[in-house]
Amino acid sequence: MFGEDRKDQGTGEMKPADQKENKNMHYQEIQSFLEKSFQETFTEELVPGIVHNFANPLNGIMGRSRLLQRKLMDIMKRADAESDTSNQESNKKLVRDVDSIAREADRLSGLLQTVMGKFCAIGDRTAQKVNLSELIELEMRFFDFYLDFKHSVKKTLQLDRELPEVRGAPADYSLAFSTLIRYATVAMKESATKELYVSTQLENGQVCVKVQNRGLPISDNLKRLLLDEVQGPASSPEGTGEGALHCAFSLLRKWGAGFDITSEEGLNTISVLIPFYQAKRQYGD
């Protein structure tokens, strides 16, 4: 079990300072577990996906650049280039090639920003205001580096762009929500229909994030454990198992989150409800 309680030898009760230190140790161990789980997927799954995704725009840029180079050389070799009736069409093709290179360069820039954004998020443990719609959008873009996720899972993303901010550490939210998305993806591994739905909205005065899938539902026993506020151990050897899910729920609960887990007509839903940011409200230390 993470962070065993330390009690006063005289009274048998926890001292406030020890309780706070124990809680901090608990969350540090949870973060370390989820970070390790993320790192374990890096070599076998993420690196091939990153290379694959970067290769497409790079190949486009390189191919168009070489083609553009040849066309320019051809034009320079023509003694009567200015009077050539085909010159206008050639110039139009050159413009299209330049536009294509620019689009591929923008695409590559977007991929680099996604990688940078993800690693900045999981490294930022400072409590601050967080826009969960923006964070979820980043997480979904990053998941496309997992090739199975990119090519095999049908994704539906519905984000409320006017969603109020919540308070918390970007690292906690990034690790927690990526764990929920990963769990949902693995739950659909043997499903004929792999459909993932992720949404953000304001519900009953709280920020609501829903992660839904058409895979194996969460068992009743695991559901009871996850909805229980007792902090369980991360005993699973894989970052997609029950231990990781416990950790994700604990990190979100740290910032005041509540949960609902349902399964209706083949659609499994994990709903996360978080109070939106209020300047005078204090959240988990």
Side-chain angles (χ1 to χ4, degrees):
M1 183 76 71
F2 282 143
E4 294 182 0
D5 292 346
R6 295 185 300 168
K7 298 182 179 180
D8 185 274
Q9 295 297 321
T11 65
E13 297 180 355
M14 289 283 291
K15 295 180 179 179
D18 287 343
Q19 289 178 336
K20 183 175 180 179
E21 181 182 351
N22 190 62
K23 181 184 290 186
N24 289 337
M25 289 177 59
H26 173 79
Y27 287 124
Q28 288 172 8
E29 289 170 347
I30 284 176
Q31 289 167 335
S32 296
F33 175 82
L34 291 182
E35 286 173 352
K36 183 180 178 182
S37 298
F38 170 73
Q39 292 166 3
E40 287 173 351
T41 70
F42 199 84
T43 301
E44 292 186 4
E45 298 182 58
L46 272 176
V47 169
I50 289 173
V51 171
H52 173 82
N53 285 1
F54 279 18
N56 287 335
L58 281 174
N59 287 338
I61 291 171
M62 292 171 63
R64 288 291 180 177
S65 297
R66 293 192 183 101
L67 184 61
L68 184 59
Q69 182 183 41
R70 288 198 297 270
K71 288 181 178 179
L72 288 172
M73 292 177 65
D74 288 342
I75 290 175
M76 292 172 63
K77 289 177 181 179
R78 295 175 186 170
D80 59 341
E82 293 183 0
S83 60
D84 193 338
T85 56
S86 65
N87 191 50
Q88 187 176 2
E89 183 60 32
S90 295
N91 288 341
K92 289 181 180 179
K93 289 180 179 179
L94 291 177
V95 171
R96 288 196 294 269
D97 287 339
V98 172
D99 286 342
S100 178
I101 291 172
R103 286 195 302 271
E104 294 296 343
D106 288 341
R107 183 180 168 196
L108 180 59
S109 175
L111 292 172
L112 290 170
Q113 289 176 10
T114 296
V115 174
M116 183 184 302
K118 172 64 175 182
F119 283 100
C120 285
I122 61 176
D124 190 349
R125 298 187 179 184
T126 305
Q128 58 194 269
K129 291 186 289 184
V130 178
N131 185 309
L132 288 184
S133 286
E134 293 178 358
L135 184 136
I136 293 296
E137 184 176 35
L138 171 65
E139 294 298 329
M140 292 293 285
R141 288 202 309 267
F142 189 79
F143 261 89
D144 269 345
F145 288 116
Y146 294 95
L147 296 182
D148 282 349
F149 181 87
K150 179 178 182 179
H151 297 299
S152 302
V153 178
K154 179 182 178 182
K155 284 84 67 175
T156 299
L157 189 61
Q158 294 182 327
L159 303 175
D160 181 355
R161 299 295 178 178
E162 303 300 322
L163 199 68
E165 296 169 314
V166 299
R167 182 168 175 79
D172 290 347
Y173 287 124
S174 180
L175 289 169
F177 282 116
S178 64
T179 298
L180 298 187
I181 295 169
R182 179 87 167 147
Y183 186 90
T185 302
V186 172
M188 296 186 292
K189 190 172 183 180
E190 303 300 328
S191 300
T193 302
K194 296 179 174 62
E195 296 179 3
L196 177 70
Y197 309 88
V198 183
S199 63
T200 61
Q201 60 192 28
L202 195 62
E203 187 173 296
N204 298 324
Q206 292 184 300
V207 172
C208 178
V209 180
K210 291 185 179 181
V211 180
Q212 301 172 288
N213 72 86
R214 294 192 179 278
L216 291 175
I218 293 176
S219 68
D220 289 339
N221 184 53
L222 178 56
K223 178 179 175 180
R224 284 193 296 270
L225 291 173
L226 291 172
L227 297 180
D228 189 347
E229 293 193 12
V230 175
Q231 297 169 339
S235 57
S236 172
E238 298 181 4
T240 56
E242 296 179 7
L245 213 53
H246 273 290
C247 290
F249 272 56
S250 292
L251 281 185
L252 293 170
R253 192 173 276 120
K254 173 184 177 182
W255 301 105
F259 308 92
D260 189 26
I261 301 174
T262 61
S263 182
E264 298 178 358
E265 298 181 355
L267 184 64
N268 311 307
T269 303
I270 296 178
S271 300
V272 183
L273 295 161
I274 305 173
F276 61 82
Y277 176 77
Q278 292 175 299
K280 295 183 179 180
R281 184 164 183 164
Q282 298 297 318
Y283 291 83
D285 294 327

